[in-house]
Amino acid sequence: MNFNLLMQILVALGLGIKRNWHIFSGIVLGIICGILLHTFNTPYNNSIMQCLVFVGQVFLRLIQMVVIPLVVSAIIIGVTSIGDNRQLGKFGKKMIIYYGIITSVAVLIGGLLALFFKPGLGAAQYITANAALSAQEMVRNAMAEQGNVLHLILGFIPQNPFKCFADGNMVSIIVFVLIFAIALAKVGDINRPIVSFFESVFAATMKITDWIMLFAAPGVFALTASVIASFGIEIFEIISKYLLVLAIGFLIMLFVVYPIFLKVFSKVSAAVLYSAVAEALMVAFGTASSSATLPLTIACCEKRGISHKIASFVLPLGATLNFDGTALLQMVAVIFLAQAYGIILTPVLLVKIGILTIVASSTCAGIPGAGLITIALVLNGMGLSPEQLVAGFAFLFTLERLTDMMRTLVNVASDTVVVAAIADNENEINYDLLNNPDKIEEKEI
Ligand code: ASP
């Protein structure tokens, strides 16, 4: 890739971080504090950990609190403002194609890297010895529940919309709200009271998001510190090859694939986009949840000139359907286990794994850990014995949170890349705002 472009991206990211230096400091201090806590065993460690977990959970719960009202109002406003069916179909098709392209590329890159570096060779013994016992029961349940694609798809159709709202089941919520919003768009002017109601809901939830973000730095600090403290850094040495392959894959997505994608499909510069959404990327890393980050992702995009019409339609669907980082991780993880247990990866098996990975990643939810549950879909039918499956899967759980933070950052980055490309194609982007961050800083949304 072009060196100049890389430098531009780094400089822009630096500027993005500078604007959000408090959140970035939260991440850095969180890593340092986590390492210290793990290294020095003092009588206070337990209490400090409890405090960290508490503060982290307060932040996480606060942002989760606004997700459902935000998603519902954003989709209803988005779909009814797009209005006519043909335009909606055009957007929808383009969105699915773009999401499909980048997720397939993520799977391809994950597969190539795992086949090239072979991180799983010789790992079998280590996997058996280190598979978290506590995770094994959960794994058995997940395998039973997630092993069947038809069962999974059926689960997306809500029998009772109120129950899916109460359970916070995002995919079912989106299915229901999309159908409801399209129906509202069809009934014409009679929809005005409901649409105005949701416009008010949207404005208020965005305001609440602004308030919650005042708490982002301590929240991200506490979340990062508690994760690092519970893992320690030895884990990096032991499974460094697996983590290295993942890290290389994620970097390729961020610094090669997305910039090329944006160049091919739009006039948006990756450097400018990353700088615009740096705050959302950092929160994605801290919370490991694309859904929880969604209010902020929408806010960042709209502040920098992406129209409300596009952002409010494309981003909620992205946070529910588009998980490139997860797809890449699932591909690497499955090949890692196959290599560890000596499964021969024929081209046919690889293609099957690739296709299943695309399905598994897009059926995942934007919450911490979801990607590792849906991986069961890919692992079933790989030819692993039940014991190997349980041990392998439970081993992946031990690294879960750490890899989740990285892949969620990539998931959110890819949502913003697609929304920027669609906004550009539809002339729904204000380049003046996008390219001049200083002008926007004070702009209220
Ligand atoms: N935590 C990820 C996300 O929210 C999903 C996953 O578990 O891979 O995007």
Side-chain angles (χ1 to χ4, degrees):
M1 129 154 162
N2 177 330
F3 180 73
N4 268 348
L5 181 58
L6 181 66
M7 285 319 288
Q8 274 172 23
I9 293 178
L10 292 177
V11 169
L13 258 183
L15 288 177
I17 288 173
K18 194 172 147 224
R19 271 199 316 278
N20 301 290
W21 61 270
H22 53 298
I23 307 181
F24 186 69
S25 322
I27 295 179
V28 175
L29 289 177
I31 294 175
I32 297 172
C33 173
I35 294 174
L36 290 177
L37 274 175
H38 186 83
T39 321
F40 300 106
N41 213 346
T42 72
Y44 306 109
N45 278 24
N46 250 344
S47 323
I48 299 176
M49 269 304 269
Q50 272 173 0
C51 278
L52 289 173
V53 171
F54 175 77
V55 174
Q57 288 301 314
V58 168
F59 176 59
L60 205 56
R61 277 171 173 256
L62 281 173
I63 40 181
Q64 282 167 337
M65 177 181 84
V66 288
V67 170
I68 292 185
L70 185 97
V71 167
V72 175
S73 52
I75 294 184
I76 289 181
I77 302 169
V79 172
T80 48
S81 68
I82 294 167
D84 89 80
N85 276 345
R86 268 210 324 256
Q87 222 194 348
L88 189 65
K90 200 173 108 203
F91 269 29
K93 244 186 259 156
K94 190 172 267 179
M95 187 182 71
I96 303 283
I97 292 173
Y98 283 173
Y99 284 152
I101 293 175
I102 44 175
T103 306
S104 312
V105 173
V107 165
L108 189 71
I109 287 178
L112 290 176
L113 286 173
L115 291 174
F116 182 75
F117 287 106
K118 301 190 176 48
L121 280 193
Q125 246 184 354
Y126 183 76
I127 291 176
T128 318
N130 288 278
L133 278 178
S134 56
Q136 301 208 8
E137 188 52 32
M138 187 155 90
V139 170
R140 285 198 191 92
N141 294 340
M143 299 300 283
E145 268 185 32
Q146 299 282 332
N148 180 324
V149 188
L150 292 180
H151 177 84
L152 209 70
I153 294 174
L154 210 55
F156 295 158
I157 305 171
Q159 271 175 310
N160 174 352
F162 295 104
K163 184 165 184 311
C164 72
F165 280 105
D167 293 344
N169 180 343
M170 285 308 283
V171 183
S172 308
I173 294 177
I174 299 244
V175 169
F176 173 73
V177 175
L178 260 183
I179 296 174
F180 184 73
I182 294 171
L184 270 183
K186 280 254 174 211
V187 296
D189 272 353
I190 201 170
N191 68 18
R192 269 328 295 167
I194 293 204
V195 177
S196 331
F197 169 79
F198 281 108
E199 278 165 358
S200 309
V201 172
F202 184 83
T205 35
M206 284 315 240
K207 188 42 101 196
I208 300 174
T209 307
D210 274 352
W211 292 337
I212 298 170
M213 288 320 291
L214 297 175
F215 189 57
V220 168
F221 162 77
L223 288 167
T224 313
S226 53
V227 170
I228 301 283
S230 56
F231 276 120
I233 39 174
E234 305 87 326
I235 201 96
F236 286 106
E237 292 159 30
I238 303 162
I239 33 85
S240 53
K241 219 168 166 189
Y242 173 69
L243 284 179
L244 192 72
V245 169
L246 283 179
I248 295 175
F250 293 148
L251 290 175
I252 293 180
M253 290 307 291
L254 290 171
F255 294 110
V256 182
V257 176
Y258 297 150
I260 293 178
F261 178 91
L262 283 171
K263 233 192 177 108
V264 174
F265 293 107
S266 75
K267 300 184 294 298
V268 177
S269 131
V272 173
L273 181 69
Y274 287 167
S275 143
V277 299
E279 195 181 2
L281 298 184
M282 286 187 267
V283 168
F285 181 83
T287 59
S289 169
S290 330
S291 290
T293 313
L294 182 62
L296 195 62
T297 320
I298 296 183
C300 288
C301 289
E302 290 191 7
K303 267 183 196 152
R304 293 291 287 267
I306 292 179
S307 81
H308 178 61
K309 182 164 130 183
I310 301 287
S312 61
F313 177 62
V314 177
L315 286 171
L317 292 180
T320 327
L321 278 178
N322 179 46
F323 295 98
D324 291 4
T326 303
L328 192 144
L329 172 128
Q330 291 184 332
M331 193 69 186
V332 172
V334 170
I335 296 181
F336 170 82
L337 291 182
Q339 288 166 343
Y341 289 121
I343 305 282
I344 297 170
L345 290 163
T346 59
V348 176
L349 183 58
L350 281 170
V351 171
K352 184 178 149 198
I353 296 176
I355 293 172
L356 281 177
T357 304
I358 294 175
V359 178
S361 66
S362 49
T363 57
C364 147
I367 54 172
L372 215 59
I373 307 278
T374 59
I375 210 175
L377 193 71
V378 193
L379 283 176
N380 269 341
M382 281 263 310
L384 295 169
S385 74
E387 295 74 35
Q388 287 173 336
L389 267 179
V390 171
F393 208 52
F395 169 76
L396 296 176
F397 266 100
T398 58
L399 313 169
E400 170 48 17
R401 183 64 187 211
L402 224 52
T403 60
D404 202 0
M405 293 163 106
M406 300 194 273
R407 66 184 189 251
T408 306
L409 188 153
V410 178
N411 290 342
V412 172
S414 83
D415 294 340
T416 63
V417 163
V418 170
V419 82
I422 295 184
D424 168 275
N425 300 170
E426 301 297 323
N427 259 335
E428 291 281 346
I429 194 163
N430 179 338
Y431 276 96
D432 198 28
L433 283 181
L434 183 68
N435 295 325
N436 299 300
D438 298 336
K439 273 196 189 169
I440 309 125
E441 222 85 285
E442 310 83 38
K443 184 181 176 277
E444 278 279 323
I445 54 159

